[in-house]
Amino acid sequence: MSELREALLRDLSGIRLLTRPDELEHYGRDWTRRWQPAPLAIALPASIEEVQQLVRWARRNQIGIVPSGGRTGLSGGAVAAHGELVINLDRMRQVLGFDPAARLLTVQPGLPLQAVHEAAAAHGLIYPVDFAARGSCSIGGNIATNAGGIRVIRYGNTREWIAGLKVVTAQGELLDLNRGLVKNSSGYDLRHLMIGSEGTLGIVVEATLRLTDPPPPSRVMLLALPDMAALMNVFELFQHRLQLQAFEFFTDLALKHVLAHGAARPLDSEYPYYVVTEFDADGEADETAALQAFEEAAEQGWLLDGVMAQSEAQAAALWRLREGITESLAPHQPYKNDVSVRISAVPAFLTEMQALLGREYPQIEVVWFGHIGDGNLHINVLRPQAMPAEEFIAHCERVTKLLAATLQQHGGSISAEHGIGLVKRDYLGSTRSPPEIALMRGIRQAFDPEGLLNPGKLF
Ligand code: 2HG
Ligand code: ZN
């Protein structure tokens, strides 16, 4: 290992390379904390050419490569635990250009999502993909995982917003995919293969993003619900009456953790389930429609309480209740499931899940929340302090097998938006059929015959 490291430092002396133990640890892991990082070295290229040189060096030396961005991923996709070369795109974080006629923003992959939002706003437009990690995640990582988030219900996943990609292949070649074209009926769309490929098919080194008009002014409401059965009834009613931008759900247990983490209690009483929803409110008519929908739902017994934010600060405080959940749970080293089913299957799936998790985790705190309007649920199982981490994970893995079987019956997915990475690799077969996986293997082999890109991830 040290000889290789020396060779790397000698051969690529013009590129910024890090090898100190604390740097290897820092850049060798993502937000999962299950694997001990052990990369060969960290490379911080400043240009596409440097990425190409790094890939060619790794290929010559048959070293695995872990492409890496903000490392906020929750599936182990950016973990380097086996002597890989981490190629971190942090230093490539410039906005390269804006095309006003086509409404396209071209950026480097290390640009944080929040900076993408700001760059779009500078042109009076929005890049509508959004989620809590906006300040630390990078657009390259968002593309590699086809990130979803809180506005998918209105705007779709990252995939919808990618008009072009430049990608360095496992051979060190540069592909220029789709080049911002709206129409391009010229065979396989390799751009879409790259999106969501979790760093296994190539390294995104430049992205051209579609922007759109900002939505009209909006209002944010917090709703309190008596039971899970009410959830989809309220969703259907609100979706019918309002132009929803987000419809997010969490339980009282999630709220308890966020409040313990410093958020302000939103309502006087406690309730079992909550929804934060944001909708277009361009004048009094929209607000009246929202209040009417609220009253109708309350009459049906689907809603027990609620509050509509009266200022931006109040809206932010309500959003914090939902967006602060992941951070508030982190000290409990949660085991995470990130699952989805078709929206119409949500009620039946929720009932089965509730029974399954109640049975399998009798003594363990299980926190539910998620993008319920997309059929996407986050289940965080909190490790009891007295239970050793290994025993806890083994237990959760056994339950995940049962969860995967239930998902399969409902035609759902074991990973809705976090990716497969290392965390859900053993469960890919519950979501994808054997012929599908065989084709995916073939595609990976075609792009990366030597298996150098993000080895061990996905399958
Ligand atoms: C969210 O929706 C993220 O807040 C994180 O996808 C979910 O921590 C999680 O399980
Ligand atoms: Zn999420």
Side-chain angles (χ1 to χ4, degrees):
M1 173 82 102
S2 63
E3 262 174 45
L4 255 179
R5 229 175 241 158
E6 275 164 30
L8 173 68
L9 294 168
R10 192 181 55 239
D11 296 347
L12 298 180
S13 57
I15 297 178
R16 188 177 298 176
L17 297 164
L18 311 177
T19 55
R20 270 197 347 240
D22 60 324
E23 294 164 335
L24 298 179
E25 169 118 14
H26 178 73
Y27 284 98
R29 62 159 43 141
D30 59 12
W31 275 7
T32 55
R33 287 292 185 263
R34 246 156 92 181
W35 294 274
Q36 183 53 39
L40 172 75
I42 315 299
L44 289 159
S47 66
I48 293 177
E49 294 69 33
E50 288 191 0
V51 175
Q52 290 176 291
Q53 284 178 47
L54 286 158
V55 169
R56 289 188 188 122
W57 185 91
R59 188 171 176 218
R60 267 201 312 281
N61 292 280
Q62 291 293 291
I63 300 291
I65 295 167
V66 175
S68 146
R71 302 176 320 289
T72 55
L74 297 166
S75 67
V79 169
H82 299 287
E84 303 93 334
L85 174 64
V86 172
I87 301 186
N88 183 284
L89 286 309
D90 266 8
R91 288 179 67 218
M92 293 173 63
R93 52 166 65 208
Q94 279 176 38
V95 176
L96 298 174
F98 173 64
D99 175 342
R103 300 178 134 197
L104 296 175
L105 187 75
T106 298
V107 301
Q108 290 188 310
L111 194 69
L113 178 60
Q114 193 162 325
V116 172
H117 290 161
E118 286 159 11
H123 298 288
L125 296 169
I126 61 162
Y127 175 74
V129 179
D130 194 16
F131 39 88
R134 61 182 76 79
S136 5
C137 69
S138 68
I139 190 73
N142 295 176
I143 292 166
T145 52
N146 186 26
I150 55 178
R151 315 242 171 225
V152 170
I153 188 180
R154 173 77 156 260
Y155 294 106
N157 297 289
T158 298
R159 182 180 301 287
E160 322 293 332
W161 300 94
I162 306 303
L165 285 180
K166 283 191 184 162
V167 172
V168 170
T169 68
Q171 290 74 34
E173 281 155 0
L174 183 64
L175 305 179
D176 190 359
L177 305 174
N178 200 59
R179 305 179 300 279
L181 298 174
V182 176
K183 290 187 153 185
N184 183 5
S185 183
S186 60
Y188 307 142
D189 196 332
L190 303 182
R191 160 190 52 160
H192 281 299
L193 268 184
M194 291 293 162
I195 302 167
S197 65
E198 301 189 27
T200 64
L201 300 183
I203 304 175
V204 173
V205 289
E206 194 178 298
T208 296
L209 312 174
R210 282 174 55 216
L211 305 183
T212 190
D213 289 314
S218 61
R219 296 300 289 263
V220 178
M221 252 186 177
L222 177 75
L223 310 170
L225 294 81
D227 48 43
M228 286 232 202
L231 203 53
M232 294 317 271
N233 294 334
V234 175
F235 173 60
E236 270 182 46
L237 178 70
F238 273 58
Q239 193 183 38
H240 193 65
R241 299 291 175 77
L242 304 166
Q243 290 295 323
L244 297 180
Q245 291 185 25
F247 194 88
E248 298 278 318
F249 138 88
F250 53 94
T251 62
D252 55 344
L253 200 50
L255 180 66
K256 186 189 93 181
H257 284 280
V258 180
L259 295 180
H261 221 70
R265 174 171 287 289
L267 301 167
D268 292 336
S269 306
E270 293 177 12
Y271 302 96
Y273 301 98
Y274 298 91
V275 162
V276 167
T277 182
E278 184 161 346
F279 50 89
D280 294 357
D282 201 6
E284 245 174 65
D286 287 339
E287 279 176 33
T288 310
L291 293 173
Q292 264 170 7
F294 181 91
E295 270 160 34
E296 269 181 55
E299 272 163 31
Q300 297 284 342
W302 301 334
L303 287 181
L304 302 175
D305 201 350
V307 59
M308 178 141 59
Q310 300 302 328
S311 66
E312 280 198 13
Q314 276 179 22
L318 293 184
W319 264 117
R320 181 175 175 195
L321 302 174
R322 165 62 184 87
E323 295 205 311
I325 298 173
T326 298
E327 208 183 316
S328 74
L329 299 180
H332 302 274
Q333 294 173 294
Y335 179 93
K336 288 174 187 286
N337 287 113
D338 158 44
V339 302
S340 63
V341 291
R342 190 191 276 224
I343 292 161
S344 50
V346 169
F349 175 70
L350 282 180
T351 310
E352 280 179 48
M353 270 310 85
Q354 220 170 2
L356 173 76
L357 299 178
R359 202 168 54 234
E360 298 298 331
Y361 292 122
Q363 310 296 342
I364 297 183
E365 275 192 59
V366 182
V367 183
W368 298 52
F369 58 104
H371 320 282
I372 203 71
D374 312 328
N376 175 189
L377 209 68
H378 296 307
I379 302 161
N380 277 226
V381 187
L382 309 193
R383 182 166 79 81
Q385 271 178 354
M387 196 184 274
E390 264 174 40
E391 185 188 330
F392 173 66
I393 288 170
H395 181 59
C396 295
E397 294 278 310
R398 193 179 58 71
V399 182
T400 296
K401 273 200 196 96
L402 302 173
L403 181 68
T406 311
L407 278 164
Q408 201 163 16
Q409 279 161 22
H410 287 281
S413 175
I414 193 68
S415 175
E417 59 172 2
H418 295 170
I420 295 291
L422 291 171
V423 170
K424 292 295 176 302
R425 211 171 73 130
D426 293 347
Y427 308 96
L428 184 64
S430 68
T431 296
R432 300 301 200 100
S433 66
E436 264 186 291
I437 294 177
L439 282 168
M440 289 207 281
R441 280 190 196 286
I443 290 168
R444 188 167 182 173
Q445 171 79 17
F447 276 86
D448 179 18
E450 291 154 300
L452 297 175
L453 286 174
N454 228 0
K457 314 290 168 54
L458 193 51
F459 50 77

